[in-house]
Amino acid sequence: MKGIVFTEFLDYVEATISSDMVDDIIDDCSFSHGGAFTAVGTYPFQDMAALVGALSQRTSVPMPDLLHGFGHHLCGRFANLYPQFFETQKCLFDFLESVNDQIHVEVKKLYPDAELPAFETHARTGNRLDLDYRSCRPLAALAEGMIEAASEHYREPVAVTAQRIDDGAASFVRFSIRHQ
């Protein structure tokens, strides 16, 4: 996983809990690199799982709930860091449909080794988008938080439901996103 996800996660923990908690969860994990993450580095997914697991252990908040909250934070940060991706789309559904063909294409130019999730439109009507999320990592709760935060960014209230689809992938979820 790209380091920016790690540094943003640690910033999220510091902003929502404390810098002491950041130190504590890093201390709880035994990283070969000592727990020093950089935004431009690449780290194994197991390191993120260890950090989220340590935070869950210390706070008694389930891991999916932590990932969901982090998804809200991460989308907000991406909107600030990369506004061009948000400004070129007129609405939430257009933005979500642009993730694979525009955003991830640009990410791959910068980080050719990045293993990105796939977002594919399953169906779209005027007020509903069914979006398939596939990933080699079980981070659907993170994706759901990002979808909800994007709806806030576009000021389009939505209801999001998630249905796990079993096809052998680590994470295959169909999100049904409906305008309210």
Side-chain angles (χ1 to χ4, degrees), residues 33-174:
H33 51 77
F37 296 99
T38 65
V40 295
T42 301
Y43 307 94
F45 168 71
Q46 293 80 0
D47 287 1
M48 178 59 71
L51 287 169
V52 177
L55 184 60
S56 177
Q57 188 73 24
R58 284 186 171 269
T59 61
S60 299
V61 176
M63 289 175 66
D65 293 349
L66 294 171
L67 288 169
H68 187 269
F70 175 50
H72 271 265
H73 167 86
L74 191 59
C75 182
R77 290 292 297 142
F78 285 169
N80 286 331
L81 294 170
Y82 311 104
Q84 66 274 19
F85 294 126
F86 292 81
E87 293 167 357
T88 58
Q89 303 304 325
K90 294 185 287 186
C91 68
L92 174 66
F93 289 177
D94 289 348
F95 171 76
L96 294 173
E97 288 185 314
S98 77
V99 171
N100 271 357
D101 296 335
Q102 293 178 15
I103 298 171
H104 283 177
V105 168
E106 294 302 316
V107 171
K108 283 295 230 180
K109 287 178 186 175
L110 295 172
Y111 307 105
D113 62 333
E115 295 177 352
L116 302 171
F119 293 91
E120 298 170 351
T121 299
H122 178 73
R124 181 175 175 175
T125 63
N127 70 340
R128 180 177 170 169
L129 174 66
D130 289 344
L131 190 68
D132 289 349
Y133 164 84
R134 286 185 169 93
S135 177
C136 60
R137 300 176 189 102
L139 296 173
L142 174 75
E144 185 172 355
M146 292 184 79
I147 291 167
E148 290 173 358
S151 80
E152 293 166 9
H153 175 83
Y154 286 98
R155 294 181 176 88
E156 296 179 30
V158 296
V160 180
T161 58
Q163 174 190 4
R164 173 132 173 79
I165 298 174
D166 189 12
D167 76 338
S171 194
F172 179 7
V173 173
R174 178 160 296 144

